[in-house]
Amino acid sequence: MPASIAAPAVTPSDLVWRVIGLLNLYRLLVPLLLLIMQGLSGPAWSVVPAHPQFFVGACIAYFTAALLLIIARRLEWSSLRIVALVNASVDAIAIAFILYAAGGVASGLGILLVLPVFALAVLADRRDAFLIAAVAAIAVLAQQVFSGLTDATPATDYVTAGLIGVALFGTSLVTWPVANRLRESDALVRRQELDLANLAQLSQYIVQHLRESILVIDAQDRVRLINESAAEILGDQNAFPDALIGEASPRLVFLLESWRKGAASGGPESAADATFVAADGSRVIRPHFAALGSSGPGPVLIFLEDTSILAERVQQSKLAALGRLSASIAHEIRNPVGAMSHAGQLLAESPSLTSDDRRLTEIIRANATRVSGIIDNVQRLSRREPARLERLTLSAWTEEFHAEFCDTMQFPRARLTVRSTADLEVRADPDQLRQILWNLCDNAIKHAVLGDPTRAVEIRYGRMPTNARPFLEVADRGEGVKPEIAERIFEPFFSAGRGTGLGLFLARELAQANGATLLYEARAGGGSVFRLVFPDRRRWEI
């Protein structure tokens, strides 16, 4: 016989308390019905007790005991056996008193014990089931003996009491197959509930720890489900279950509404520029929408794709081509650069040079060194060599860069300003950082301010307001980048009509080599902002 059938659960289960609840209802109804039947005058339904006052008291006591057992349901019962025996004892004693007050077994009220014995035998094991029947049978016989001592009762009543005892034992015996079936069903239900709970926990764990960022939005644009990765993208403070998605990302709400309109009209469901910037300001995210259900506006499943990861995979082949190209021409470029640098050095040694001429030779040597450094950076980038990271103080470094850039490019210093909110220290390769900022400033001058003497370029640095990560950015008031090409400006060899299309590509690749992120965003009021977001200083300090 299986152990699950031979012995009940150690602690009462939900099935036990459901049966006990029905039995308590029976205990409440029986004394009320007996009191009502006592007051009836018809012989068919009336009850004429031998001891009327004791009968009323016994019914009230049984009703009170039922209320106490209902209250005791809130206690922490340690054993099902204790629950069954306590309930059986209450029923046996209370009904025995009612039976005695009604005139003994001749009243026919002994049948009231059958249902409690049946219900409690279902919950108990075989040994306790017979013990419950024995307690009920002894209570019937005891009241009959006491009734015989106090009142004149015929001998046939003892036979009737014995038959009631046999009927109670028979009820307990017949109940055993039913109890087996009931316990098997209860065990199966509990196993299924446990499996469902485990499955729900497993599903929740998988969703929360997926590398993909997902969230579910209902028809009212409230978050119903979101995993850790998506909450990090949208911002933990605003993206949580039951929060309005518009409070976390207004841009995402706009893209969601655009998708809904496109899906309803049968047109394109997403646009090429359907992206937004993550809450940390360092990633560009592309959402993908999928409707959950087919009737009307309903929940929407949103996948948030980090475009930097996809772009990195797509550009591997382009990087390989660029590496082969740079390797083939690096030697050819380095030779004439070396010759110019050597010629500049020889020219500087001439005694007939004026101070202005010597300044020009210094520019020649400095730019030859810079070109040689660019070649080294391109070759290291093509070979995927790690950057030579150093600790740099941005205030001193940007002032030095500002002076070098303006002197070399013959650009008025008043039109290239440096502004900061706090002095910062970052970790980067100084040569690669110089090339990144040089490319950004050179692009800003060529495309935004060169034709207008009233425009200026700003170099700004500080900390991101959302996550306090250091940033360095170049901002201008030019025409900006057209939205339809904003996603492609960092692709290699892509050009809007001027240049080779390598400047911004190399700048972003060098930024990634330094653990930073280079982002573009349209400037409020017109213009462009190219922002270099450095890694968190606390991470590299640890």
Side-chain angles (χ1 to χ4, degrees):
M1 184 178 296
S4 61
I5 299 176
V10 176
T11 57
S13 64
D14 292 337
L15 173 64
V16 171
W17 292 121
R18 286 196 296 269
V19 173
I20 295 296
L22 293 174
L23 191 55
N24 284 330
L25 180 62
Y26 172 81
R27 294 178 183 128
L28 294 174
L29 293 177
V30 164
L32 293 177
L33 291 175
L34 290 177
L35 292 175
I36 293 173
M37 292 172 66
Q38 183 188 9
L40 295 178
S41 59
W45 296 98
S46 63
V47 174
V48 182
H51 307 282
Q53 293 182 351
F54 190 77
F55 183 81
V56 173
C59 291
I60 294 175
Y62 194 27
F63 186 85
T64 304
L67 293 177
L68 293 177
L69 288 175
I70 293 174
I71 296 174
R73 165 70 176 85
R74 300 178 179 273
L75 300 178
E76 293 184 1
W77 296 85
S78 59
S79 171
L80 171 60
R81 190 166 188 258
I82 296 176
V83 173
L85 292 179
V86 168
N87 281 267
S89 301
V90 169
D91 290 323
I93 294 173
I95 294 178
F97 281 127
I98 293 175
L99 195 59
Y100 168 76
V105 295
S107 64
L109 297 183
I111 195 69
L112 295 176
L113 279 170
V114 173
L115 184 59
V117 169
F118 174 81
L120 295 174
V122 167
L123 304 180
D125 60 7
R126 177 175 294 181
R127 183 185 60 182
D128 289 339
F130 284 113
L131 179 59
I132 290 169
V135 169
I138 292 172
V140 172
L141 292 175
Q143 70 82 27
Q144 189 60 40
V145 170
F146 189 76
S147 178
L149 295 176
T150 57
D151 302 320
T153 56
T156 55
D157 287 352
Y158 289 96
V159 177
T160 304
L163 293 176
I164 292 176
V166 172
L168 294 175
F169 277 99
T171 300
S172 176
L173 182 63
V174 172
T175 303
W176 180 247
V178 178
N180 281 344
R181 286 289 188 89
L182 210 56
R183 274 193 286 273
E184 287 177 353
S185 300
D186 182 53
L188 179 60
V189 169
R190 297 181 72 173
R191 283 197 301 269
Q192 291 177 344
E193 289 178 351
L194 182 61
D195 291 341
L196 288 175
N198 292 335
L199 183 60
Q201 292 180 358
L202 178 61
S203 301
Q204 183 72 10
Y205 180 86
I206 292 174
V207 169
Q208 290 298 328
H209 294 81
L210 275 176
R211 293 180 60 184
E212 290 76 10
S213 305
I214 61 173
L215 68 155
V216 176
I217 306 297
D218 62 13
Q220 288 73 39
D221 294 339
R222 289 190 177 274
V223 178
R224 291 307 175 202
L225 174 66
I226 185 169
N227 65 356
E228 295 177 1
S229 178
E232 181 183 357
I233 289 176
L234 298 176
D236 295 329
Q237 295 182 351
N238 296 323
F240 52 86
D242 205 39
L244 286 171
I245 192 61
E247 297 178 357
S249 177
R251 172 67 176 170
L252 180 57
V253 173
F254 170 76
L255 297 176
L256 176 61
E257 291 301 323
S258 301
W259 173 82
R260 283 171 173 165
K261 292 178 181 178
S265 62
E269 298 184 356
S270 62
D273 60 342
T275 60
F276 65 95
V277 179
D280 58 9
S282 61
R283 290 176 288 176
V284 177
I285 308 300
R286 182 184 301 277
H288 300 276
F289 306 100
L292 297 178
S294 57
S295 58
V300 177
L301 176 63
I302 305 178
F303 294 88
L304 303 180
E305 178 186 31
D306 190 345
T307 58
S308 61
I309 298 176
L310 181 61
E312 182 179 355
R313 296 174 181 173
V314 171
Q315 290 178 1
Q316 292 302 317
S317 59
K318 297 180 181 180
L319 281 175
L322 179 62
R324 290 191 295 268
L325 176 63
S326 62
S328 63
I329 66 175
H331 180 72
E332 299 299 329
I333 296 177
R334 192 182 297 276
N335 286 340
V337 170
M340 288 188 295
S341 177
H342 184 64
Q345 292 176 1
L346 294 178
L347 183 60
E349 296 174 359
S350 174
S352 59
L353 291 181
T354 63
S355 59
D356 292 338
D357 293 336
R358 292 185 184 279
R359 176 59 183 162
L360 293 176
T361 59
E362 291 176 2
I363 293 176
I364 293 174
R365 290 201 305 273
N367 281 275
T369 303
R370 176 174 170 267
V371 172
S372 180
I374 293 174
I375 295 173
D376 289 339
N377 286 334
V378 172
Q379 288 183 323
R380 286 164 52 193
L381 185 63
S382 64
R383 294 193 296 265
R384 312 304 291 176
E385 293 182 4
R388 302 183 181 97
L389 303 179
E390 300 178 11
R391 294 192 178 194
L392 303 175
T393 303
L394 284 183
S395 58
W397 188 89
T398 52
E399 289 297 333
E400 179 183 350
F401 172 84
H402 179 257
E404 178 186 359
F405 184 86
C406 292
D407 290 344
T408 303
M409 303 297 293
Q410 298 297 305
F411 191 73
R413 296 195 178 192
R415 297 180 64 191
L416 180 63
T417 60
V418 178
R419 185 163 58 90
S420 67
T421 57
D423 193 10
L424 301 175
E425 187 181 68
V426 298
R427 194 164 180 251
D429 187 318
D431 293 335
Q432 294 183 356
L433 182 59
R434 179 180 289 104
Q435 184 175 347
I436 294 171
L437 200 59
W438 197 290
N439 287 352
L440 297 180
C441 291
D442 187 48
N443 279 349
I445 291 173
K446 290 179 179 177
H447 305 309
V449 306
L450 190 60
D452 190 344
T454 63
R455 294 178 180 174
V457 178
E458 294 181 57
I459 299 176
R460 302 182 297 199
Y461 59 89
R463 290 192 179 275
M464 300 290 293
T466 54
N467 55 14
R469 288 176 64 174
F471 73 89
L472 175 65
E473 64 184 16
V474 176
D476 62 65
R477 287 295 184 186
E479 298 179 357
V481 179
K482 296 180 180 180
E484 58 268 21
I485 65 172
E487 294 293 319
R488 303 187 59 195
I489 57 176
F490 293 104
E491 293 183 4
F493 308 111
F494 176 80
S495 174
R498 293 169 286 182
T500 61
L502 285 175
L504 290 177
F505 167 73
L506 289 176
R508 172 170 277 190
E509 292 298 319
L510 291 173
Q512 292 178 354
N514 285 264
T517 304
L518 182 60
L519 301 170
Y520 162 79
E521 67 178 33
R523 189 177 183 183
S528 302
V529 176
F530 287 89
R531 181 178 299 115
L532 183 65
V533 182
F534 294 95
D536 189 354
R537 175 182 173 183
R538 291 171 294 181
R539 293 183 180 177
W540 55 261
E541 280 184 345
I542 293 173

